[in-house]
Amino acid sequence: MLWRTQSARALQQFHMPNEPTRLTARPSANRAEPPRIGAGFVRRIYLLRLFGFAIGFFPLLVLLQEQHASLWTLAPVAIACFGWPHLAFLSVRHAPQPLARERWNFIVDSILGGWFVTAVHFAPAATVVVFLMFAIDNMAAGGWRLFGCGLIAMALGVGAGTLVFGAHVVSVMSTEAAVAWVPVILGYPLVLAKTTYDVYMKLSERSSRLRELSERDSLTRLSNRMTIAAKLQAEMARAPGIDVLFIDLDAFKTVNDALGHNIGDQLLVEVATRLRACAGRDDLVARYGGDEFVIVSETQGGSDGHHRLADAVLAALGSPIVVGEHELVVGASIGISVFPDDGADAESLIRAADMAMYTAKSRGRNCYEFYRRRMRNEADARLRLSGRLRKALESGGLHLNYQPQVDMRTGEVRGFEALARWHDARYGFVSPVDFVAVAEASGLVSQLGEWVLRAACEQFSVWRELQVKPVPISVNVSPLQLQRADIVKTFQRIIDETGMNPALLELEVTETALMKNPQASARRLAEFRRIGMRVAVDDFGMGYSSLDQLRTLPVDRIKIDRAFVRGIGSGDSGAIATAVVTLANAFELAVIAEGVETHAQRAFLLELGCHDAQGFLFSKPLDADATTRLLLQGATLPVPPNAELSGSRARVMV
């Protein structure tokens, strides 16, 4: 009936079938119980039901008095009109899903409607109005399903009322009784129109908010990732040429880690403001995710137009940004793709700009790079190579070679460096430079490093069974692998499983990796030394470590990088190699040179007091069988005669 329609509309408003009403309820922070969907609207429905039944009681009362109904008839009708709304409220107030429970209350409403019709003995106006109003309520609240259930419930109410009041039909109604229903008949369209308008406005407002949330980044208010492709595709249909700039902030992670996410968020907001200022009025500026942004701009000004916007962005982000008490400079790497040259759809253009951005980062950052087709070919090749490498690691497709580390005075083999090698059925021999880079980019580097350590330890077990002289083995540790919190436990587990003596294992870590976070690196290396392993600094001289950092690092040996050995005897004075050896002696560290390939280099290093070396002058990396034969033959390599040594040294000193 009319007095229930407002409740029906409220229920429809907050529990429409396709609307995610769960967003209206917030779970308690201190309780694990699920949120009560629609709990905030129960009281409103209660008040509407109470008002509706109360106002509907008036025309019913007029009819019952006209029919000379007894007190036993008036009393149940009054109790139902004024008592049922309270009972309905109590039944849903603490229900886990109050709006779902309200649907059952609608069924009870329909039963009472049928009961009211029999109470007034099927008076024509009352019967029609009650039936239509409850039918409309049920249809509005629950569609055809609730409408059908309401008809059945109303029939049950009629049956129950017939048992109580009899089946007598009063077909005549006085003027006064008819007039009593006029407010209901005339007021219903107005209330229905107002309710419909309120629901429409609220749904429109909610739809607008949801659309904005789905299309806008909540932090920067820029367009978000979900809308870039659609807007770019629409722009491609209109403009003859489009530039897509994919922008990645260079130092944002450092700001986040050092100053916290709050400062990071404020920085992103300021970056968004500056990007808007750089872009044109009709350009699209969007936050792609994290510290990545995209600008879509119609190409203007010929070839110079491609550069103008990128230059403006670099200039804007290159100037200091003040956030709170901090003055920050982040810079950016930018990749640029151009429509129609670099792609025929939005996804291809964005992917192309993303590839170009990574190329810009590899060039040193704070610059921009245009997409070129070879980038995609290289990316596809890396992806295929990554898949082949993963399979090789799983199927044992890699093997180790061992390069001897030699005492240059006697030729005695003092150790081996384990080097991973890969011969692929499709690509043939794959350079370690290539597949290690792919492993680092694809997240396989830790798996590769663990495989190298396990394979080296297992090979040592074979040599131990042959009772050859135990010779230390050096294995390389990737900078990314060194950052893993579980690396020490992982290496300890492999050592325990293979029975390897940790004193015969040496980890080679590049100086560049150590200098990224000297304090954390020092703690990690100290843990390795505590379990008995030795630590060497590889490629020493390339990472610009200070004397104080070198002094505090828990290392046993430093390796002179081949770059400082290569030129000795051919114009290079060997000053850097001399300095490295001097530092090693000052800090009482062992020293070894790598990349020794000529007699002149050997002579010079021996004169400095660097006795250990590895390089092609003594031996190339050997496979496991050749290394085993070398150990069985006494682990000694031939050395040049002393006369030649003296001559080589003399030539170096000239």
Side-chain angles (χ1 to χ4, degrees), residues 446 449-450 453-454 481 484-497 528 531:
S446 293
E450 293 170 16
L453 178 63
R454 182 177 294 277
Q481 191 179 8
R484 292 180 63 94
D486 61 346
I487 183 174
V488 178
K489 290 183 179 179
T490 300
F491 278 30
Q492 178 71 70
R493 173 175 52 81
I494 294 174
I495 290 172
D496 294 341
E497 292 173 356
F528 281 122
I531 65 176

Side-chain angles (χ1 to χ4, degrees), residues 133-440:
M133 298 312 169
F134 274 111
I136 292 173
D137 280 352
N138 292 331
M139 177 64 76
W144 287 105
R145 183 176 180 180
L146 186 58
F147 174 78
C149 293
L151 291 180
I152 296 174
M154 190 172 294
L156 293 176
V158 170
T162 301
L163 295 176
V164 176
F165 305 113
H168 177 64
V169 177
V170 177
S171 59
V172 179
M173 180 184 298
S174 67
T175 303
E176 292 80 3
V179 170
W181 288 100
V182 170
V184 176
I185 297 174
L186 295 180
Y188 174 74
L190 297 177
V191 174
L192 177 61
K194 180 62 169 65
T195 304
T196 303
Y197 175 76
D198 290 343
V199 171
Y200 169 76
M201 293 302 296
K202 290 185 177 181
L203 289 179
S204 297
E205 180 183 354
R206 180 176 300 179
S207 176
S208 178
R209 290 200 306 268
L210 290 175
R211 184 168 56 254
E212 182 175 356
L213 288 174
S214 66
E215 296 179 354
R216 294 283 178 181
D217 175 61
S218 59
L219 177 65
T220 63
R221 310 310 301 166
L222 298 176
S223 296
N224 62 19
R225 181 173 183 171
M226 301 299 294
T227 61
I228 295 175
K231 292 183 178 179
L232 175 55
Q233 198 70 43
E235 185 71 12
M236 291 165 60
R238 183 189 65 81
I242 297 174
D243 295 340
V244 178
L245 278 66
F246 198 103
I247 304 164
D248 184 87
L249 304 184
D250 289 334
F252 180 73
K253 185 178 186 302
T254 302
V255 173
N256 248 2
D257 293 343
L259 303 178
H261 291 279
N262 186 37
I263 296 296
D265 288 347
Q266 296 180 54
L267 175 62
L268 290 175
V269 172
E270 178 59 29
V271 167
T273 301
R274 295 193 179 191
L275 291 180
R276 284 196 199 96
C278 294
R281 184 182 61 182
D282 298 327
D283 293 347
L284 168 65
V285 183
R287 184 185 178 194
Y288 196 72
D291 60 345
E292 296 175 336
F293 297 84
V294 171
I295 298 180
V296 177
S297 175
E298 184 175 353
T299 303
Q300 296 178 356
S303 59
D304 292 340
H306 299 313
H307 300 267
R308 191 177 301 117
L309 180 56
D311 289 331
V313 170
L314 288 180
L317 300 184
S319 59
I321 298 176
V322 178
V323 179
E325 300 178 352
H326 307 282
E327 186 175 283
L328 308 173
V329 178
V330 290
S333 299
I334 305 175
I336 306 174
S337 62
V338 179
F339 171 78
D341 298 341
D342 300 331
D345 56 75
E347 183 179 353
S348 299
L349 284 173
I350 295 174
R351 188 167 61 247
D354 189 19
M355 292 181 190
M357 182 272 294
Y358 279 106
T359 302
K361 277 192 176 295
S362 67
R363 286 181 48 202
R365 306 191 176 200
N366 198 34
C367 61
Y368 58 85
E369 185 73 33
F370 285 88
Y371 170 77
R372 293 183 295 274
R373 293 192 181 277
R374 65 173 178 81
M375 295 179 184
R376 188 180 302 276
N377 297 334
E378 292 172 355
D380 292 342
R382 286 194 299 270
L383 181 61
R384 291 192 297 268
L385 193 63
S386 173
R388 302 287 294 183
L389 178 59
R390 186 183 301 276
K391 291 181 179 179
L393 284 169
E394 295 172 351
S395 61
L398 280 74
H399 66 277
L400 289 182
N401 281 358
Y402 302 87
Q403 185 168 33
Q405 297 174 338
V406 182
D407 185 333
M408 293 187 290
R409 298 167 298 181
T410 64
E412 177 188 3
V413 176
R414 304 285 294 273
F416 293 101
E417 181 179 4
L419 302 169
R421 295 293 183 262
W422 180 24
H423 187 277
D424 183 70
R426 176 182 299 175
Y427 297 106
F429 176 77
V430 183
S431 169
V433 175
D434 294 333
F435 73 75
V436 170
V438 168
E440 290 181 338

